[in-house]
Amino acid sequence: MNKKDKAAKSAEFPRIMIAAPSSGSGKTLITCGLLKVLANRGLHPVSFKCGPDYIDPMFHRKVLGIPSRNLDLFFTGEEITRALFAKGASQADISLLEGVMGFYDGAGGVTAFASSYELAKATDTPVILAVNARGMSLSILPLIQGFLEFRKDSGITGVILNQISPASYGSMKEKIEELLPVKVLGYVPKSPELALESRHLGLVMPGEVEGLQEKLQKLAELLEETLDIDGILKCAGEAKPLSISEKENQGECKRLPVPESENQGKSKRLPVLESKIQREPGINCAGNEDADKVRIAVARDEAFCFCYEENLELLEQMGAELAFFSPLHDRQLPSEIGGMIFYGGYPELFAEELSGNERMRSQIYSCLKNGTPYLAECGGFMYLQESMEDMEGRVWPMAGVCSGTARNTGKLGRFGYITLTAREEGQLLPPGETIRAHEFHYYDCTENGRSYHGKKPFGGREWDCIRGGPDYAAGFPHLYYASNPKFVQRFLDKCRAFRSR
């Protein structure tokens, strides 16, 4: 594929989005299979996930060995979202964007804002609709027709029929293409042995899928036979040149992603947000002489794995040296740290093991009680409680930094996007500033804090949250740092000051 100058105002990025009428239609399975097919063909694909999902990008990464990135219009708006896409796609042969939920499902449940449809429009990406055809025959046509006509600019150029028999596919393809203005690009037969299992927060983790690489290879071999791969590549190649604002396109990406096997235990810098950082008054980038490095311990293992790659990159750009450690397996914290970060994950599945690592719990308690600045989100916040209930209802001692306990409520609580403002002076987020985030959890804590105020973009629901102070913030919201880099700057400044003492 012919690559153009990616620093130009308009650039050609072959790309497609795999969307669906609803969750559970097979988007992730088809996306992962396609990524494997393209890699097997010797192409260099990259992947993106629409929305705030953490788990689907982990499966993408297992296929390609390089990070998958999130594109979210609520967090970053159209201009920066296009720039994030362009940076990630700048040296790829083709980009696959996986949609979220149903194609038109957006924030608030009654809007298309931040939906797959809106992202496809913002990035001018052709859409392939993956339709779960199980239990349907002719009814597939009005379903597809509805998605084509609900918005005249849907961008849907092709469909894939999932869970349909080879015997039925030929006649359904002929009927769809006869009556609807869309190309049928293949099918995926019922293959229970290739399905991905789910649990309360979504798909199981990639590391829990037995023989995942073999399963992905079998899936790729199947899709080579049942999908029109050349037609899909043609669809991606017909994507219009993407218009990128010059001010958001400064600092061209000059590095190919590093394969996972060559980058174990390391975090890689991809300057997707450098121009935004440099334009913010008072914000320092790691390339500046006055941006002193500070070492930040970041919890990362099977229990704490929900983290945006863009957040890690922004920390590094602003002067953080990331030292990953495992509260599950390690017995010693990284040395010479100025701060700590605990991201979300599945600590409830590892409550006994986390509790049993008493030496680590004790070190974390001592560090944070002695003033080490820290951030904690969702599962990380649960780990810092005095105790946590596991999935069987047993209660285990945790780090004890925050008074209270984490318990399973059995239902989603405070689900969705929120905008955070500080309720009190003396926080990392001063009054008048905001940072964007989302919540998605079945657990709750007896004391969630009142330092910040969260408000949903639609529906009017709002609540107080986060236990905070001048050098820490701990609560259920997952923060997206690029929505306010000053928040990160203040945290790192507190870490530098602590380290210098």
Side-chain angles (χ1 to χ4, degrees):
M1 295 182 182
N2 185 28
K3 299 187 183 70
K4 302 295 184 181
D5 179 9
K6 302 301 189 291
K9 292 183 180 179
S10 293
E12 290 187 5
F13 300 98
R15 59 196 183 275
I16 53 170
M17 173 184 285
I18 303 298
S22 68
S23 295
S25 298
K27 294 188 299 290
T28 302
L29 191 71
I30 293 172
T31 300
C32 288
L34 272 174
L35 289 170
K36 186 66 173 176
V37 167
L38 297 173
N40 288 348
R41 286 190 172 201
L43 295 173
H44 174 58
V46 294
S47 61
F48 301 86
K49 174 67 181 181
C50 174
D53 188 275
Y54 291 110
I55 299 176
D56 291 352
M58 293 182 192
F59 278 93
H60 300 179
R61 181 170 186 154
K62 282 296 182 183
V63 179
L64 300 179
I66 56 177
S68 175
R69 304 178 187 283
N70 294 75
L71 297 174
D72 194 303
L73 292 168
F74 174 76
F75 289 151
T76 53
E78 289 191 13
E79 194 172 46
I80 295 176
T81 298
R82 283 195 297 269
L84 284 166
F85 167 76
K87 295 296 184 183
S90 62
Q91 297 188 38
D93 294 317
I94 182 173
S95 299
L96 264 64
L97 287 67
E98 182 186 342
V100 60
M101 300 176 65
F103 183 51
Y104 294 109
D105 298 336
V110 293
T111 75
F113 174 62
S115 65
S116 305
Y117 159 71
E118 292 281 0
L119 178 63
K121 275 208 314 178
T123 57
D124 244 336
T125 300
V127 177
I128 297 175
L129 194 69
V131 179
N132 188 340
R134 182 179 181 182
M136 287 194 290
S137 56
L138 196 61
S139 296
I140 297 171
L141 275 78
L143 187 153
I144 297 171
Q145 183 179 24
F147 275 83
L148 291 170
E149 296 180 358
F150 183 68
R151 292 287 189 270
K152 297 303 181 184
D153 59 350
S154 71
I156 299 172
T157 60
V159 296
I160 292 172
L161 303 182
N162 190 23
Q163 296 206 60
I164 191 171
S165 69
S168 301
Y169 171 68
S171 58
M172 291 313 305
K173 170 181 168 65
E174 182 178 345
K175 186 62 69 173
I176 291 168
E177 293 184 339
E178 174 190 344
L179 298 177
L180 299 177
V182 70
K183 179 77 172 173
V184 181
L185 295 168
Y187 71 102
V188 182
K190 299 174 185 177
S191 306
E193 71 280 5
L194 298 178
L196 300 175
E197 297 179 16
S198 298
R199 60 159 65 93
H200 58 295
L201 294 184
L203 293 175
V204 299
M205 304 300 289
E208 300 175 75
V209 180
E210 185 176 352
L212 177 60
Q213 293 302 330
E214 291 79 6
K215 180 178 285 193
L216 289 169
Q217 181 58 35
K218 288 181 180 178
L219 176 62
E221 292 169 359
L222 174 66
L223 297 189
E224 274 281 14
E225 296 178 2
T226 64
L227 295 186
D228 180 2
I229 303 299
D230 292 334
I232 292 170
L233 288 171
K234 184 174 184 292
C235 177
E238 292 173 348
K240 296 177 182 178
L242 186 65
S243 177
I244 306 294
S245 169
E246 283 188 327
K247 68 178 182 178
E248 293 295 348
N249 198 37
Q250 299 169 8
E252 182 61 35
C253 171
K254 302 186 187 304
R255 294 176 55 186
L256 282 170
V258 180
E260 194 170 61
S261 59
E262 299 174 19
N263 197 36
Q264 291 289 348
K266 298 180 181 179
S267 180
K268 165 180 62 63
R269 177 180 172 187
L270 183 66
V272 293
L273 297 168
E274 191 163 336
S275 61
K276 176 178 174 64
I277 298 168
Q278 291 173 340
R279 290 197 310 276
E280 291 279 2
I283 300 294
N284 290 326
C285 187
N288 299 341
E289 293 180 1
D290 56 349
D292 298 329
K293 287 281 187 182
V294 61
R295 201 159 194 243
I296 307 297
V298 179
R300 200 172 200 185
D301 56 22
E302 304 95 306
F304 305 99
C305 48
F306 291 176
C307 176
Y308 297 117
E309 289 294 327
E310 302 93 305
N311 278 1
L312 299 178
E313 290 165 1
L314 186 54
L315 284 164
E316 290 186 315
Q317 288 176 14
M318 299 176 75
E321 176 191 337
L322 304 183
F324 296 106
F325 75 101
S326 169
L328 266 176
H329 307 296
D330 293 343
R331 295 293 182 266
Q332 184 72 38
L333 282 171
S335 61
E336 300 180 352
I337 59 174
M340 300 184 72
I341 299 179
F342 301 86
Y343 290 117
Y346 282 119
E348 63 271 29
L349 301 181
F350 302 93
E352 182 177 3
E353 295 90 333
L354 288 168
S355 183
N357 193 347
E358 295 182 20
R359 181 172 177 179
M360 178 58 72
R361 288 195 290 117
S362 176
Q363 288 183 46
I364 289 172
Y365 177 87
S366 297
C367 278
L368 300 191
K369 287 298 185 180
N370 285 332
T372 303
Y374 67 95
L375 302 175
E377 299 179 358
C378 203
F381 177 52
M382 290 161 54
Y383 175 64
L384 296 186
Q385 303 294 305
E386 291 174 315
S387 62
M388 179 168 60
E389 184 180 273
D390 65 16
M391 297 296 289
E392 286 73 44
R394 298 172 297 179
V395 179
W396 301 92
M398 289 292 125
V401 177
C402 300
S403 58
T405 188
R407 291 197 175 97
N408 187 359
T409 66
K411 61 182 179 180
L412 274 177
R414 302 187 298 279
F415 165 68
Y417 291 119
I418 55 172
T419 298
L420 293 167
T421 57
R423 294 185 66 255
E424 309 168 351
E425 296 282 353
Q427 303 295 321
L428 289 168
L429 189 71
E433 281 188 18
T434 64
I435 190 167
R436 295 195 168 190
H438 79 98
E439 291 196 27
F440 189 89
H441 50 93
Y442 282 77
Y443 272 64
D444 209 352
C445 293
T446 52
E447 177 50 62
N448 292 316
R450 301 181 67 252
S451 299
Y452 292 68
H453 188 73
K455 185 174 182 179
K456 295 180 73 65
F458 300 97
R461 189 182 178 196
E462 48 192 285
W463 58 88
D464 294 334
C465 56
I466 299 184
R467 302 170 72 140
D471 54 6
Y472 72 97
F476 275 103
H478 296 273
L479 309 180
Y480 196 83
Y481 298 163
S483 64
N484 188 347
K486 291 180 181 179
F487 178 91
V488 183
Q489 180 73 73
R490 293 188 193 98
F491 172 67
L492 293 180
D493 285 346
K494 293 294 184 181
C495 295
R496 293 184 182 97
F498 174 79
R499 185 65 193 149
S500 68
R501 294 197 299 270

